[in-house]
Amino acid sequence: MAQEAAMSARKPYRPETRLVHAGTLRSQFGETSEALFLTQGYVYEDAATAEARFKGQDPGYIYSRYGNPTVSMFEARMAALEGAEAARATATGMAAVTLSLMGQLKAGDHVVGAKALFGSCRYVLEEYLPRYGIASTIVDGNDLDAWRRAVRPNTKTFFLETPTNPTLEVIDIAAVAGIAHAAGATLVVDNVFATPLFQSPLTLGADCVVYSATKHIDGQGRCLGGVILGTEEFIGKHIHQFIRQTGPSMSPFNAWVLLKGLETLSVRVRRQTDTAATVAVALAEHPKITRLLYPGRPDHPQAALVQKQMRGGSTLVAFEIAGGKEAAFRFQDALRLIRISNNLGDAKSLITHPATTTHQRLTPQARAELGISDGLVRFSAGLEHPDDICEDIFAALETA
Ligand SMILES: *Cc1c(COP(=O)(O)O)cnc(C)c1O
């Protein structure tokens, strides 16, 4: 197969170009669109080739749990986009998060995480890791002294997400990376909300970046997927064997769907970001909106940091409706176009009420600490016409 994986090394194409071409492996048939290799295993020319491949002396594929051409294309394209040396795809975003931590840690180690995390990420840190003898401390991600104070002699890694779900708070990646490295620890960043287009954690000092490809990378609500990116050394040392031996692998079919998703990622994310910014402007002065959070607006709590570490805003807007849960429910139920769903990054505009869905597991006090009030909703901009979206929101606010 002709390898185009090295193209981005030959000429530093811009991200939009890499999204369409990087990582393509073309078969002898010369297909234009990436081929779907829906195969579990591979046949060998002869017994000696099989032996050589198992010995690592022949670079071909062995078994799709740890290597498949379609999955390789997805990994190579993601690596080229992120500017990472290596990538490994996983079945879901949560598999990527869990592996990025479990792959590095062992019993007796300690991890520090920011408190504003996607629900399941916080569950892994607070409930699962301790079960295997890995202690965790949760800190306010924006309090740099809290990260420093949390460090113990056995601290091995820091974990954060920025912008955060659902309040779109922004954490200083470079500053936290500096504290982690001074403590001899690594930093893992969950970059789902920013997307690879708007934020490059590796450039800011992170050692590992993880994505739920389920969100913007698919972008059309079809497949689950995840990806872990870092240096050859990081992936080789912590991730490759873990996937190979434990099996949280991405299906070739899903890799193919996600590859095709990457081709249109930039067009979709830029359009969705423009729409989200339009919604934020339209809502900012609305009398029924008591709080509005959008990275990219000058009134965002970390506006200067957004300028410093991000290249764009967000496809999401969080806003609080006067009147608490009742008003938020009336508003959601009155929407005609925007659908109620906890998913995000989809072509369809979606709305969710974090206090009763994604964050209902937390105590009222923990929610209050995170700024998740009963009137707060999180809006994910889709690809519909922005005027239709704004009209739907304004009409529903009349009801609330
Ligand atoms: C969705 C999401 C995840 C989990 O991804 P899945 O693909 O649903 O497993 C992790 N982190 C963030 C920030 C997410 O939005």
Side-chain angles (χ1 to χ4, degrees):
M1 292 203 295
Q3 305 231 348
E4 290 182 25
M7 64 165 277
S8 55
R10 283 202 302 275
K11 181 172 171 11
Y13 285 113
R14 293 164 183 81
E16 290 77 2
T17 309
R18 288 184 224 166
L19 281 168
V20 179
H21 292 282
T24 299
L25 296 166
R26 197 156 274 135
S27 81
Q28 71 273 27
F29 299 115
E31 65 281 352
T32 34
S33 178
E34 296 75 4
L36 167 52
F37 291 95
L38 204 55
T39 183
Q40 298 167 342
Y42 305 85
V43 294
Y44 311 106
E45 287 290 311
D46 47 39
T49 307
E51 182 187 27
R53 221 164 272 182
F54 270 81
K55 278 187 169 162
Q57 293 158 352
D58 181 297
Y61 292 98
I62 296 175
Y63 190 55
S64 285
R65 189 190 326 116
Y66 44 94
N68 172 282
T70 309
V71 179
S72 297
M73 284 191 258
F74 173 71
E75 291 170 340
R77 190 165 294 176
M78 279 303 305
L81 177 64
E82 195 69 40
E85 286 175 13
R88 286 295 180 279
T90 54
T92 65
M94 279 322 301
V97 168
T98 306
L99 233 82
S100 71
L101 298 170
M102 295 277 277
Q104 295 184 74
L105 300 168
K106 60 180 187 326
D109 288 345
H110 174 240
V111 48
V112 187
K115 70 180 174 187
L117 291 180
F118 181 77
S120 296
C121 299
R122 197 157 152 179
Y123 201 94
V124 167
L125 282 169
E126 288 186 301
E127 309 288 333
Y128 279 114
L129 295 181
R131 225 197 255 188
Y132 300 100
I134 300 159
S136 61
T137 305
I138 299 294
V139 300
D140 176 350
N142 266 315
D143 182 349
L144 295 178
D145 279 331
W147 289 99
R148 282 187 203 100
R149 278 196 307 274
V151 170
R152 301 180 191 168
N154 55 341
T155 303
K156 291 287 159 56
T157 191
F158 282 14
F159 182 80
L160 65 85
E161 123 192 353
T162 179
T164 64
N165 177 38
T167 54
L168 308 176
E169 184 181 86
V170 175
I171 299 175
D172 192 332
I173 296 173
V176 176
I179 298 167
H181 296 158
T186 58
L187 171 64
V188 179
V189 174
D190 180 337
N191 206 36
V192 168
F193 275 48
T195 83
L197 294 168
F198 291 162
Q199 184 169 271
S200 304
L202 297 176
T203 311
L204 294 164
D207 302 277
C208 176
V209 180
V210 290
Y211 288 99
S212 165
T214 313
K215 311 296 166 51
H216 305 88
I217 292 172
D218 177 310
Q220 292 166 77
R222 302 161 295 191
C223 292
L224 298 167
V227 59
I228 308 172
L229 301 115
T231 58
E232 287 283 2
E233 193 200 345
F234 185 95
I235 299 292
K237 191 166 153 198
H238 302 300
I239 308 299
H240 179 73
Q241 278 301 326
F242 210 106
I243 293 185
R244 178 173 177 144
Q245 308 301 347
T246 67
S249 322
M250 176 178 279
S251 142
F253 180 80
N254 289 4
W256 179 78
V257 172
L258 296 166
L259 261 172
K260 303 313 284 179
L262 283 175
E263 285 188 337
T264 58
L265 180 74
S266 165
V267 181
R268 287 183 288 103
V269 166
R270 286 180 207 287
R271 167 62 180 253
Q272 287 166 305
T273 301
D274 287 349
T275 298
T278 303
V279 166
V281 168
L283 286 181
E285 305 301 328
H286 195 285
K288 286 187 178 163
I289 303 300
T290 48
R291 192 159 66 111
L292 183 125
L293 296 153
Y294 186 72
R297 283 179 60 82
D299 59 2
H300 184 275
Q302 295 92 30
L305 188 53
V306 173
Q307 285 287 329
K308 194 177 92 177
Q309 78 179 19
M310 296 183 71
R311 295 182 291 273
S314 174
T315 63
L316 296 123
V317 187
F319 51 95
E320 189 182 70
I321 300 165
K325 178 182 166 185
E326 285 69 32
F329 272 34
R330 274 199 304 277
F331 167 71
Q332 290 183 96
D333 293 345
L335 291 166
R336 290 287 161 262
L337 177 64
I338 300 164
R339 307 317 302 161
I340 300 171
S341 174
N342 47 288
N343 208 356
L344 62 100
D346 198 282
K348 295 177 173 63
S349 285
L350 304 173
I351 196 115
T352 191
H353 183 247
T356 53
T357 60
T358 53
H359 291 71
Q360 50 94 14
R361 184 183 75 88
L362 299 181
T363 62
Q365 192 205 330
R367 277 199 296 274
E369 275 179 27
L370 293 172
I372 303 171
S373 64
D374 288 346
L376 188 83
V377 293
R378 187 199 70 194
F379 166 71
S380 169
L383 292 172
E384 304 91 345
H385 195 288
D387 292 349
D388 286 330
I389 293 171
C390 286
E391 284 164 23
D392 196 36
I393 292 176
F394 274 83
L397 278 173
E398 289 303 311
T399 318

